[in-house]
Amino acid sequence: MIERKLLLGDEAIALGAVHAGISGVYAYPGTPSTEITEYIQANAPEVRSRWCTNEKTAMEAALGMSYAGKRALVCMKHVGMNVAADAFVNSGITGVNGGLVVLAADDPSMHSSQNEQDSRFYGKFTMIPILEPSSQQEAYEMMRYAYELSEQLRLPVLMRVVTRLAHSRAGVEVKAPMFQNALNPDNERTHWVLLPGNARRQYASLVEKQPQLLASAEASPYNKTVAAEGKARLGVVACGIAYNYVMENNPQQLGVKVLKVSQYPIPEAAIKALAQECDALLVAEDGQPLVEEQVKGLLGAGYVLKGRLTGDLPRMGELTPDCVGKALGVELPQAFATAQNVMPRPPALCQGCGHRDVYDALNKVAAEYADARIFGDIGCYTLGALPPFRAIDSCVDMGASITMAKGAADAGVFPAIAVIGDSTFTHSGMTGLLDAVNDKANITVVISDNLTTAMTGGQDSAGTNKFEAICLGLGVEPEHVRVVVPLPKNMEEITRIIREEIEYKGVSVIIPRRECIQTLSRKLRQKKAQQ
Amino acid sequence: MKKDIILAGVGGQGILTIATIIGDAAAVAGLSLKQAEVHGMSQRGGDVQSNLRLSTDEIYSDLIKEGAADLIISMEPMEALRYVSYLNGEGWVVTSSHPFKNIPNYPEDEALMNELNGLPHVAALPIDDVAKENNMPKSANVILLGMAARYIEILTPEQLRESIARVFASKGEKIVEMNQQAFDLGLNAVK
């Protein structure tokens, strides 16, 4: 019997992986990838699924599971790929034993991110197959295909999705699940010990596999031509979700041919064939113009190629059915102009949130110094950049608050204050704190601990109950590890402690600790429901 | 037949519950459905919207084209206005008329309501007041769904009513009844 479920793209990926027989999912939460792991945690107790400390530990643990012969999934948002990159790129050199799929959820238009980097570059760079589903159904089915491909080529496979697929719901037909692989560790040490001698052989083998990767993409069931008859004025190379936006504009009626591309390396023969039948080609791809650049090389300068680089599609931001329609020559008349009485409504820290009290205190004390600088980090507390707080001077990447404060202090900035959340601290802040301690940097680090990974919806935080021990272990002096409860009634104590620690010429850590009010009220609701 | 619906509101007002109810009814009716949601940062009191597409045929895009939406259902009047460029000429706006002011530069009430009421097809009610008067403050979103039910067309009000029973079933009979009452209040308010 065919079962049909209404699933988010992320949930379809999760269920596809579970039904493909994975034994473990390894991930750090990050929008728009978080719901994949959450779905597995809630629905597949037979799969190992606890959150990891960061994307690098996740990637390495998954590689270990693959080494042992079992299928593993790694999930992250696009910027997580930067953190996992060392392990990810080298997993292309070792290859895999059990199937290994790395899922990167990109966020073009930066709905919840600090850049819109395109993860497909990582796949190309690592020289492994990339899959890019266009629908929730395809995402589900592709997972099984991805694990088969991974084990057949003995390489990791990168699956790339974007926010609009990850966070969109649709009906998905599901199949019978597969069994997990048996334990079967790889005995071939030369694959895994990447001493230069071995690594050179492994890299040569990766290079030798490239024609196989191309042949697989040329024959892929996910790369297909939707043909208008005979010659056409325009052909579209529609990658991943861009295929939907093209199809939404009825290309058959427009006399436009479409080549759907959902498996890379790009199917060169199919693209050349399409180019021959058309007067010009348009490359529609969400993210950066990776395929457009490659097709340009493939067809040469004489061929008319359109895309993001030529301005036929916007250079940045996510694609929409509107901008793709425009590139195809379709424009829908707008019935109503954009309204006048509409203002932006940015997100804000919740009323009653402990981060609010932290920023109130920091702003009070910082105002007493002529040149105080507060280096922020990634999480809910980044909203401290907005009114009414306007408290932070930087927010760059996970963990950068501590290390940037250190560098600025090294240069002479005083006071240099870092604000970092509990989960971000264990993700990427601990090593920076060790640098600061070893260098006796004059910085004050505020670890705003709300006992959860709040921004992504309240996942467990790796360091809960361990922060004082971690800081002491890294060498922060015990009298300069201070814990406070961020509540308005404690404002006097908090500001006094901040002042004292700023005046201390060395590394101090202040830990304001109070549970996130979202997770707290969720717990209270659950408790009430149980009664 | 197809219906493109934009659900709008402020993070925490319950638009995803409206989407869940319509989605469940569509799934049971065997319709194709795509529903793009907003997760993450903007759920913290920012503007949120969901593109909900229902059709008897295959749906490709997860996003609705500008000028193509048949219906805007909004928990907040300024948020309804935010998406009027997506509405087609015959499209309806069903909205709460009660402003949610969590920004310092919120537009003047009168200017806002004048612009809203200048649209040809608008149904607006202070649903929060209706919800409070009827002792169901948490069901304002379901009252709004009731108001919109006649304009969804591809699903009948009865199909949506049945879906409410399924979606709230785990919370007990009382909650189901209250939400069905809320739905009927909205449905009857726009006769």
Side-chain angles (χ1 to χ4, degrees), chain B residues 55-90:
Chain B
S55 177
T56 47
D57 301 316
E58 185 174 2
I59 302 167
Y60 286 104
S61 171
D62 299 83
L63 298 175
I64 297 169
K65 278 182 138 188
E66 273 201 286
D70 302 291
L71 180 58
I72 293 172
I73 304 176
S74 178
M75 291 293 293
E76 209 276 346
M78 184 181 82
E79 295 309 324
L81 274 185
R82 196 184 296 281
Y83 303 102
V84 290
S85 67
Y86 281 86
L87 201 61
N88 71 42
E90 301 305 309

Side-chain angles (χ1 to χ4, degrees), chain A residues 115-333:
Chain A
N115 75 28
E116 57 174 26
Q117 67 183 58
D118 187 328
S119 297
R120 294 176 303 168
F121 282 94
Y122 271 114
K124 184 170 189 303
F125 179 54
T126 306
M127 302 168 72
I128 61 172
I130 308 166
L131 299 174
E132 192 185 9
S134 65
S135 69
Q136 292 77 358
Q137 181 71 45
E138 203 169 64
Y140 171 82
E141 289 170 9
M142 237 182 208
M143 264 297 161
R144 198 169 298 214
Y145 177 82
Y147 281 100
E148 282 165 10
L149 188 65
S150 171
E151 288 177 0
Q152 179 207 330
L153 293 167
R154 295 191 68 83
L155 287 176
V157 168
L158 175 67
M159 187 183 286
R160 184 249 191 173
V161 297
V162 293
T163 301
R164 293 304 179 182
L165 180 68
H167 284 172
S168 177
R169 234 171 261 281
V172 175
E173 284 179 8
V174 302
K175 292 181 186 160
M178 292 170 68
F179 290 110
Q180 294 187 14
N181 287 357
L183 180 65
N184 179 28
D186 195 346
N187 290 319
E188 192 49 73
R189 286 178 168 174
T190 55
H191 294 169
W192 297 91
V193 181
L194 295 182
L195 283 166
N198 290 337
R200 278 182 215 114
R201 273 193 300 276
Q202 285 297 103
Y203 183 50
S205 139
L206 176 62
V207 170
E208 276 165 26
K209 281 179 190 171
Q210 296 306 302
Q212 265 179 278
L213 268 63
L214 180 61
S216 171
E218 299 276 11
S220 172
Y222 298 109
N223 293 344
K224 61 172 189 193
T225 308
V226 181
E229 290 300 312
K231 283 241 169 205
R233 68 175 172 91
L234 185 68
V236 186
V237 179
C239 306
I241 201 167
Y243 174 73
N244 298 345
Y245 303 140
V246 174
M247 296 307 286
E248 186 71 26
N249 286 288
N250 298 315
Q252 287 99 333
Q253 286 176 21
L254 301 169
V256 170
K257 280 184 195 282
V258 181
L259 172 63
K260 172 178 174 292
V261 175
S262 285
Q263 182 177 342
Y264 307 81
I266 55 165
E268 293 178 2
I271 291 171
K272 279 183 181 162
L274 182 71
Q276 274 186 350
E277 291 170 345
C278 302
D279 300 333
L281 285 194
L282 172 75
V283 177
E285 56 189 323
D286 224 348
Q288 295 172 306
L290 170 75
V291 171
E292 190 178 346
E293 283 177 349
Q294 288 181 64
V295 173
K296 202 168 159 185
L298 195 67
L299 301 180
Y303 195 88
V304 182
L305 183 67
K306 303 176 182 186
R308 286 186 185 268
L309 290 171
T310 57
D312 291 274
L313 287 168
R315 181 65 181 81
M316 50 190 272
E318 67 182 351
L319 294 177
T320 63
D322 304 297
C323 72
V324 172
K326 202 173 157 196
L328 295 174
V330 185
E331 259 179 284
L332 197 64

Side-chain angles (χ1 to χ4, degrees), chain A residues 362 366 369-376 391-394 401 404-405 408-409 413-419 444 502:
Chain A
L362 279 171
Y369 292 87
D371 208 14
R373 290 288 192 275
I374 300 179
F375 299 87
I392 62 175
D393 296 289
S394 76
S401 57
M404 281 189 65
V413 169
F414 175 79
I417 301 165
V419 177
T444 306
I502 285 175

Side-chain angles (χ1 to χ4, degrees), chain B:
Chain B
M1 188 182 188
K2 66 112 196 161
K3 275 288 156 183
D4 286 344
I5 304 169
I6 291 178
L7 298 167
V10 180
Q13 281 189 322
I15 68 159
L16 288 184
T17 304
I18 300 177
T20 304
I21 296 167
I22 301 176
D24 175 86
V28 169
L31 296 174
S32 298
L33 170 147
K34 282 212 171 185
Q35 182 204 327
E37 302 173 1
V38 173
H39 295 203
M41 198 172 236
S42 35
Q43 285 178 296
R44 302 272 176 274
D47 60 280
V48 291
Q49 52 84 16
S50 172
N51 280 205
L52 181 55
R53 310 193 66 198
L54 309 173
S55 177
T56 47
D57 301 316
E58 185 174 2
I59 302 167
Y60 286 104
S61 171
D62 299 83
L63 298 175
I64 297 169
K65 278 182 138 188
E66 273 201 286
D70 302 291
L71 180 58
I72 293 172
I73 304 176
S74 178
M75 291 293 293
E76 209 276 346
M78 184 181 82
E79 295 309 324
L81 274 185
R82 196 184 296 281
Y83 303 102
V84 290
S85 67
Y86 281 86
L87 201 61
N88 71 42
E90 301 305 309
W92 272 84
V93 176
V94 178
T95 183
S96 167
S97 56
H98 185 76
F100 184 93
K101 299 181 182 178
N102 64 344
I103 49 170
N105 53 350
Y106 194 93
E108 293 290 325
D109 288 359
E110 205 186 322
L112 177 70
M113 291 317 289
N114 281 346
E115 187 168 12
L116 190 63
N117 290 323
L119 295 167
H121 307 298
V122 180
L125 264 188
I127 53 165
D128 297 288
D129 296 344
V130 178
K132 270 180 214 147
E133 281 161 21
N134 289 278
N135 296 318
M136 45 177 78
K138 287 185 176 167
S139 297
N141 54 349
V142 182
I143 296 175
L144 183 72
L145 173 63
M147 283 171 67
R150 286 173 208 284
Y151 309 109
I152 294 175
E153 289 173 337
I154 197 164
L155 292 164
T156 64
E158 198 42 46
Q159 283 173 308
L160 291 166
R161 225 170 163 278
E162 286 165 13
S163 164
I164 290 170
R166 284 189 296 272
V167 168
F168 290 100
S170 66
K171 299 195 171 170
E173 217 167 285
K174 267 189 183 170
I175 301 287
V176 169
E177 270 175 33
M178 188 180 72
N179 280 293
Q180 288 188 327
Q181 263 177 31
F183 180 80
D184 292 339
L185 269 174
L187 185 65
N188 296 326
V190 293
K191 256 179 191 169

